[in-house]
Structure formats: C-alpha cells, structure tokens
Amino acid sequence: ISVPKTKLINDLKKKADWMYAHIRNNEWLKEGFFNGYYNNDKQRVEGNINGLMRMTLTGQTFPIMSGIATTEQIKELVNNVRKYLKDKKLGGFHLNTDFKEEQLNLGRAFSFVYGDKENGAFFNHMAVMFAYALYKQGFVNEGYEVISSIYKMASDTQKSKIYPCLPEYFNAEGRGMYSYLTGSASWFILTLLTQTFGVRGQNGDLLIEPKLSGEQFKSTHKISITRTFAARKLKIVFINPKRLAAGKYRIKRFKLNAEWIPVQEAPQVVISREVILNLPKQKLNIIEIHLG
C-alpha cells in the first residue's frame, strides 16, 4: 500500500507525544524519580516497595536524555540519585540500589551478588550516558560530577588495581573490571567532544557550545581539543581568563587562524561549512574561543 509520508509523520508524532506525556505523568513516582521497568508479572519495579527503596540509574537516564523529564523533575531526581545511588565512600554512582533478593521475573542481573556486574556495580556505560543526558539538558555541573567520578575511581589505583583506563565497571570494592568496553568508550568520547567541549555538527555547519565547568579551569585558564571536521584538522582552544563556571560565561570573541571574526556575544557560535571548507587541508587550523 502507499501511505503519504506526511500522514505517517503526523501519526508517529501523535504516538510519540502520547508516550512522552504518559511516561512524564504516570511513571513519575511520588518518591521523586522515574520508574523505568516492569517485571514479567507486570509489576512496577522501582519506588518504595514493601519498605525498600528500589531505584535504577537507567530509569532516570533515558527520560532526561529524551527530553521527557521536566527541569523540575531533573532537579529532584538528581538529588535522589545522589541520595540512593551515589556511593558515599567511593564517590561513584551505582547502577541500582540493592533489591536484597533475586528477581527471576526481571532478569539474570539480580543473580549476581550486589555490587558486581549489572547488579549495582559502578557500571560505566550507564554512568557516562547519564552524564551525557545531564549535559544535553544543560545540567553541566551535575554532568561533570558524574563523568569525573569515573576518572577519580580509575585513577585511584590503590583501589582500582588497574592502569587508569575506562573499565566496563568497578565492583563494590572499587576495583576496575574488564579493561575496556567499546560502548562505554564511544559514549565517553561522544560526551566529552559534543557536550563538555560542545564541538559538534549542526545541519552541516560546525557548532561550538562549550559546557566546561569551573572545576576544569581550576589549574589553567586555557583548555583545547583537536578534532577533524569536514576533512579539516581543527584545534579548538577555549580561553577563560577569569576561570568562570559554566552558565557564568559566554563566547565573547572568536579567532580563526589568527584572524578575529566578528561574533555576537552568545553561549554558542556556528561556523558555516563553507568557511570550514575554505580552510587549508594539510594544516592544523586554530580556532580560539574567548570566554567571559
């Protein structure tokens, strides 16, 4: 059969709008976070169940990332993630609270002892995605808190017992397990590049929207990143002389290969693809972003 594409688009949009509203209104729990799962018996998994608080990091990540969670909901659930999932001793974020018993109607994860693998470990794949979601919605300090917790756990080699890298997860003792996981690695790079540094494509053009925290400028006023865009090698240098925190600075001035480019003071700057394509291919092109 032949269906007009506009009719399909409208139909899918209506379904998506219904799902967004349904999750935002019906899966937001009175405890102050989202329910993300139902078990095989159609029972809600998260919330205060028989006096035991059950919460998953996954159930909070995707409502934020997709734009379902409102600003007020994000603020409240972040506080509850700190309360129920952040480890007071190691500083990382657990994948879930301790459900205290096997959940054979939910999945194999709960057959692992709590703190290992998918049952309550510091599972980096989801931690990075949670950080990405927070950055995406403008919660810069919260995103940095999550992503930097991974670095701190990895570099504490007395506990992690690994060379600093991105392991699949840290167990309950803070030990890094499985030296590298491509899912975590790709999301980690994606988060740093497109959200923390804010360097990404937008309809073919280059968008630069830094979300660097004040903590990242603690020991220097200049941070840079090198990447390729439209087959041109670029070094983007962020200069923050007052070491202002995210939300306190805007892009004041902009220099491309030592030439000042007029720019309207704003949180972001867009460089057209045409300008990028006119840059030399064999040279490292320097973009300076002055924050203030």
Side-chain angles (χ1 to χ4, degrees), residues 223-238:
I223 301 174
S224 65
I225 189 170
T226 303
R227 69 157 300 177
T228 300
F229 186 85
R232 303 301 188 273
K233 199 169 183 183
L234 309 174
K235 181 177 181 180
I236 300 103
V237 184
F238 299 91

Side-chain angles (χ1 to χ4, degrees), residues 134-150:
L134 291 167
Y135 274 116
K136 184 182 177 185
Q137 302 304 340
F139 286 77
V140 176
N141 293 327
E142 293 80 357
Y144 178 73
E145 177 188 353
V146 176
I147 208 164
S148 63
S149 72
I150 298 171

Side-chain angles (χ1 to χ4, degrees), residues 114-291:
Y114 183 72
D116 277 285
K117 293 186 178 281
E118 291 90 348
N119 185 16
F122 303 96
F123 215 79
N124 288 327
H125 198 155
M126 192 50 57
V128 173
M129 292 175 85
F130 184 54
Y132 178 94
L134 291 167
Y135 274 116
K136 184 182 177 185
Q137 302 304 340
F139 286 77
V140 176
N141 293 327
E142 293 80 357
Y144 178 73
E145 177 188 353
V146 176
I147 208 164
S148 63
S149 72
I150 298 171
Y151 170 77
K152 289 172 183 174
M153 289 187 73
S155 58
D156 185 358
T157 54
Q158 292 299 310
K159 291 191 180 75
S160 66
K161 300 187 186 335
I162 57 171
Y163 291 114
C165 69
L166 188 66
E168 181 183 13
Y169 68 92
F170 297 97
N171 66 15
E173 287 77 44
R175 181 167 186 167
M177 309 294 286
Y178 301 96
S179 347
Y180 206 69
L181 186 69
T182 53
S184 296
S186 57
W187 272 95
F188 192 88
I189 292 167
L190 181 76
T191 302
L192 284 178
L193 181 62
T194 68
Q195 295 299 320
T196 307
F197 286 94
V199 180
R200 58 187 183 272
Q202 179 178 274
N203 301 323
D205 299 326
L206 178 65
L207 170 71
I208 302 177
E209 185 185 15
K211 296 175 184 174
L212 295 158
S213 70
E215 183 73 18
Q216 288 168 285
F217 287 104
K218 194 172 182 179
S219 58
T220 180
H221 70 278
K222 188 185 292 187
I223 301 174
S224 65
I225 189 170
T226 303
R227 69 157 300 177
T228 300
F229 186 85
R232 303 301 188 273
K233 199 169 183 183
L234 309 174
K235 181 177 181 180
I236 300 103
V237 184
F238 299 91
I239 301 168
N240 184 1
K242 295 181 180 177
R243 299 178 183 177
L244 299 172
K248 302 291 184 183
Y249 57 69
R250 295 165 75 81
I251 295 173
K252 291 275 193 179
R253 296 186 298 162
F254 163 54
K255 188 189 281 189
L256 176 57
N257 286 340
E259 181 184 344
W260 289 107
I261 308 294
V263 63
Q264 190 172 7
E265 189 178 312
Q268 62 184 44
V269 64
V270 177
I271 306 172
S272 73
R273 192 173 190 85
E274 185 181 1
V275 169
I276 299 292
L277 291 175
N278 282 329
L279 297 174
K281 261 191 174 182
Q282 307 306 322
K283 175 186 171 185
L284 179 62
N285 299 281
I286 309 295
I287 296 172
E288 281 187 14
I289 303 293
H290 290 254
L291 307 173

Side-chain angles (χ1 to χ4, degrees), residues 46-64:
E46 301 186 55
N48 191 329
I49 298 171
N50 299 323
L52 181 67
M53 192 63 73
R54 294 180 176 179
M55 183 185 195
T56 71
L57 190 60
T58 313
Q60 316 318 311
T61 298
F62 292 104
I64 299 173

Side-chain angles (χ1 to χ4, degrees), residues 1 6 11 13 29 41 54 59 80 82 94 101 115 120 122 175 196 282 289:
I1 61 170
T6 51
D11 181 64
K13 190 173 185 310
L29 306 174
D41 298 319
R54 294 180 176 179
N80 282 314
R82 289 191 185 113
H94 292 278
E101 59 185 7
F122 303 96
R175 181 167 186 167
T196 307
Q282 307 306 322
I289 303 293

